[in-house]
Amino acid sequence: MAELQGRYDVIVIGAGPSGSVAATSLANYGYRVLVLEQQHFPRFSIGESLLPQSMEFLEQAGMLQAVVEVGFQYKNGAAFCRGHEYDYFDFRQKFSEGWGTTFQVQRGRFDKTLADVAEQRGVEIRYGQVVTAVDQCASDIAVEVQPEQGDAYRVSADFLLDGSGFGRVLPRLLNLEKASQLGTRIALFTHIEDNISDKRFDRNKILITVHPENPEIWYWLIPFSDGRASVGVVLPRSLYDDVSMGQQATLQRYIGEGGMLSEILANAVFDTPVRTLGGYSCDVNSLYGERFALLGNAGEFLDPVFSSGVTIALKSATLAAATVHRQLQGLEPDWQNEYAAPLKTGIDTFRVFVEGWYDGRLQDVIFADNKGDAIKAMISSILAGYAWDTRNPYVREPNRLTTLAELCRA
């Protein structure tokens, strides 16, 4: 067995947004926290368009000012295009109270900013560390770690949080994974020098484009503050498997079929290799267990269409840190009712909207002329990340979306 090299109050797997915010929140309570991160920062990641609800979670952890000072691209809404149809949601005109603006970020810089704040608050972060095993004992929980160099070692803690994202360390090691009910899709994406001069494009909003002929194909265009942008297309897996050309040619071919999007990107320079991400929708049997809990994508990831990933990650980090604090204080919290159920409220709201996007209900609402300002404000709140505001009828009863779609079609 590997040598035991230290004991902490809390160990966090992963230094991404969920891990850094959870670790910082726990350090703010005075706990000794160790973060084990497999990669080295800065590193590339997608999930670049934040939602305004995220700002509240960053503010609660005392991390917002550092993010503001980076100078990321300002964002106040989401625009939608289908062929040459166009509509948008201004997040400042929403049903829920709270932040109405946020940022579009290069995740390498954003994630490193959060990790640096965590270290400044006293969190110990070790990069280049792979967690290979978990040992749940009666008095603590230990992990075995393989560093890039040197021998494997063990560290233990009173509690373990998994913020490993798509790495899904604990779901794999503890056999917690289960199949997602969402369809299998693949995303092709890259960063470009966008050279956009088209006045129809608002750099303060993410642009989501629907393929004019196939509503299951959609694109994102996320502008950054330096004249560059993130662009991607999401396809049913079957369509990608039928394509014999290379990844960049495939991405550019589909952009060429994107109507107004193609015109907006007419002068774009594709100067970065195209990446793919497939099979990203995932779920687990439980979000918590004896001395551990799952954060963000390590627990469940829905779909990139509404940029909900980071918001769910930060919500989970905020809830988990508060619940761990109560547990370490000997208060015996109810993890189901204090963590899993509240987190699921927002996830389930987003899930209905993701399903509604792909089956056409939400697209019919978005592109309808007759949805009215009050309805638009309620939908805008959810698109802005306020999926936990149960005063909103579409959070309290997400399936109202079906009735709304029928009304809009009429």
Side-chain angles (χ1 to χ4, degrees):
M1 181 178 291
E3 180 183 356
L4 183 64
Q5 293 186 4
R7 194 179 193 288
Y8 296 79
D9 296 314
V10 182
I11 295 172
V12 180
I13 304 173
S18 66
S20 289
V21 169
T24 301
S25 299
L26 289 162
N28 291 342
Y29 286 124
Y31 295 111
R32 188 169 179 233
V33 184
L34 170 67
V35 175
L36 300 167
E37 168 57 49
Q38 179 174 350
Q39 296 180 290
H40 290 274
F41 284 18
R43 54 92 172 95
F44 183 89
S45 181
I46 57 170
E48 300 137 322
S49 196
L50 304 184
L51 303 182
Q53 172 76 91
S54 299
M55 308 293 274
E56 177 184 337
F57 305 137
L58 294 172
E59 192 171 36
Q60 288 177 12
M63 308 175 84
L64 181 58
Q65 187 60 38
V67 173
V68 171
E69 290 174 354
V70 175
F72 291 119
Q73 172 66 46
Y74 171 82
K75 175 186 174 184
N76 62 21
F80 294 86
C81 177
R82 182 170 61 189
H84 286 81
E85 295 179 85
Y86 179 88
D87 204 350
Y88 68 91
F89 292 80
D90 188 325
F91 293 157
R92 297 165 297 182
Q93 299 169 0
K94 63 186 188 325
F95 174 86
S96 303
E97 297 178 355
W99 286 86
T101 62
T102 185
F103 299 107
Q104 315 208 98
V105 302
Q106 296 94 329
R107 282 289 301 278
R109 295 172 64 194
F110 176 73
D111 291 10
K112 188 175 189 307
T113 297
L114 297 185
D116 288 348
V117 172
E119 288 189 301
Q120 292 164 11
R121 300 289 172 80
V123 174
E124 180 184 346
I125 301 181
R126 300 181 190 176
Y127 294 97
Q129 313 291 304
V130 178
V131 174
T132 58
V134 180
D135 183 14
Q136 295 171 278
C137 306
S139 59
D140 62 13
I141 188 166
V143 295
E144 187 162 316
V145 185
Q146 179 60 60
E148 286 180 331
Q149 298 180 342
D151 297 331
Y153 64 91
R154 295 172 71 243
V155 284
S156 65
D158 292 318
F159 207 91
L160 176 64
L161 292 172
D162 185 358
S164 60
F166 292 120
R168 298 171 61 75
V169 172
L170 288 188
R172 287 188 294 103
L173 294 177
L174 300 179
N175 296 316
L176 299 173
E177 294 182 298
K178 72 174 184 179
S180 172
Q181 298 303 306
L182 298 173
T184 302
R185 300 179 178 88
I186 190 164
L188 291 85
F189 53 92
T190 189
H191 285 183
I192 59 174
E193 179 184 332
D194 61 65
N195 294 317
I196 298 173
S197 58
D198 196 312
K199 300 301 183 183
R200 294 173 294 179
F201 181 62
D202 183 351
R203 294 194 77 89
N204 295 331
K205 295 176 177 64
I206 183 176
L207 177 63
I208 302 295
T209 299
V210 183
H211 191 282
E213 298 176 4
N214 187 338
E216 286 195 75
I217 300 173
W218 65 272
Y219 315 76
W220 74 74
L221 178 59
I222 302 170
F224 299 134
S225 59
D226 58 358
R228 297 184 63 77
S230 172
V231 63
V233 63
V234 174
L235 307 169
R237 182 79 207 205
S238 57
L239 287 182
Y240 179 74
D241 289 342
D242 287 342
V243 174
S244 59
M245 62 185 70
Q247 294 175 350
Q248 179 167 321
T250 300
L251 175 59
Q252 289 185 279
R253 170 200 149 186
Y254 275 104
I255 289 174
E257 299 173 2
M260 192 173 88
L261 176 69
S262 175
E263 297 164 10
I264 288 172
L265 292 179
N267 299 317
V269 177
F270 287 73
D271 56 6
T272 304
V274 173
R275 301 172 185 244
T276 62
L277 180 63
Y280 44 73
S281 297
C282 51
D283 202 352
V284 289
N285 295 316
S286 177
L287 289 170
Y288 64 94
E290 187 65 30
R291 297 184 181 276
F292 75 86
L294 310 178
L295 307 176
N297 296 350
E300 182 169 2
F301 182 77
L302 299 172
D303 191 272
V305 64
F306 300 124
S307 306
S308 61
V310 173
T311 300
I312 292 172
L314 299 189
K315 177 69 172 181
S316 71
T318 303
L319 286 171
T323 312
V324 170
H325 173 54
R326 289 193 288 275
Q327 179 154 331
L328 297 184
Q329 293 296 302
L331 300 179
E332 299 183 357
D334 180 340
W335 275 88
Q336 177 61 32
N337 290 318
E338 295 182 43
Y339 178 66
L343 183 59
K344 281 284 192 179
T345 295
I347 291 175
D348 290 345
T349 300
F350 281 126
R351 180 184 291 105
V352 169
F353 272 61
V354 168
E355 291 170 347
W357 174 263
Y358 285 107
D359 66 27
R361 287 174 295 159
L362 187 56
Q363 292 187 27
D364 288 341
V365 171
I366 286 171
F367 293 108
D369 295 327
N370 60 336
K371 48 186 174 286
D373 291 342
I375 294 296
K376 192 167 185 176
M378 294 174 189
I379 302 301
S380 183
S381 283
I382 294 171
L383 298 180
Y386 292 90
W388 292 268
D389 181 5
T390 54
R391 297 172 304 158
N392 187 335
Y394 292 92
V395 173
R396 194 165 57 247
E397 298 178 55
N399 286 316
R400 282 173 176 257
L401 180 63
T402 299
T403 304
L404 177 60
E406 291 171 353
L407 293 172
C408 288
R409 290 167 185 151

